[in-house]
Amino acid sequence: DTAVSQTPKYLVTQMGNDKSIKCEQNLGHDTMYWYKQDSKKFLKIMFSYNNKELIINETVPNRFSPKSPDKAHLNLHINSLELGDSAVYFCASSQSEADTQYFGPGTRLTVL
Amino acid sequence: AQSVTQPDIHITVSEGASLELRCNYSYGATPYLFWYVQSPGQGLQLLLKYFSGDTLVQGIKGFEAEFKRSQSSFNLRKPSVHWSDAAEYFCAVGDNDYKLSFGAGTTVTVRA
């Protein structure tokens, strides 16, 4: 059973489009996260939700909007995509603060 | 805010040789420390973590790490590397605010 899953695995799109990435975890965790990994493999947290409430928003452009319909899901919607949004986006979850975070397989977004 | 430094960008090691990856952190309180591994095209997998207690931590795949508060370090070691250990290794420090900060990563190449 996959603990943290993301769809799609690859996403290629044109500048200016709007796209969504979905994340689901079946671990029963309360906290979920989105990270961005750039071309130099640097990982940076973008958002965190605890029990469907936003708790971390790391100065991410407001074109990025996370949505958590329930504790098991955290989706990422991106409006007006730009070239600089090309990256690998990872979803993660953890039981509580400072607990181990379990990562999904990543979604490679390419903006042309 | 916490931060992590991985001084070695790239390490090449012969199969069967020992490996040590350095990690230094900056954090005002007791840190939660992690090592993750990312194989090419894959997500992140937790190798080991330190929350408290014994400063020598055993992980999966034969890895261990030692927390040294006086040196603000959490170096990862493996006595004998296998070709399958070729990957990107990330050290991370977590705080009580759900934030995980990653180092820039160390690429490990294993030569036959």
Side-chain angles (χ1 to χ4, degrees), chain A residues 33 35 37 58 98 100-101, chain B residues 36 38 49 51 98-100:
Chain A
Y33 313 79
Y35 287 85
Q37 186 177 45
E58 284 292 296
T100 302
Q101 293 184 21
Chain B
Y36 284 87
Q38 184 179 25
K49 62 187 178 187
F51 280 9
Y98 302 86
K99 268 196 197 178
L100 203 60

Side-chain angles (χ1 to χ4, degrees), chain B residues 2-112:
Chain B
Q2 70 271 33
S3 65
V4 176
T5 302
Q6 292 181 246
D8 305 304
I9 297 172
H10 192 177
I11 286 181
T12 299
V13 61
S14 297
E15 193 169 14
S18 63
L19 173 68
E20 181 166 12
L21 303 182
R22 295 183 290 165
C23 172
N24 294 100
Y25 68 89
S26 172
Y27 184 55
T30 301
Y32 303 98
L33 295 161
F34 306 83
W35 275 100
Y36 284 87
V37 61
Q38 184 179 25
S39 298
Q42 303 296 315
L44 281 82
Q45 181 183 22
L46 179 71
L47 284 175
L48 47 79
K49 62 187 178 187
Y50 172 79
F51 280 9
S52 64
D54 193 346
T55 56
L56 185 62
V57 180
Q58 301 297 320
I60 62 171
K61 304 185 181 188
F63 284 93
E64 67 177 26
E66 187 170 11
F67 170 58
K68 292 186 177 179
R69 185 186 298 275
S70 61
Q71 297 176 20
S72 298
S73 68
F74 189 56
N75 295 346
L76 181 72
R77 297 191 293 256
K78 184 168 183 177
S80 176
V81 299
H82 186 260
W83 63 266
S84 60
D85 293 322
E88 190 80 21
Y89 291 79
F90 293 95
C91 181
V93 59
D95 66 14
N96 286 329
D97 293 330
Y98 302 86
K99 268 196 197 178
L100 203 60
S101 295
F102 284 85
T106 298
T107 303
V108 173
T109 299
V110 180
R111 58 175 175 234

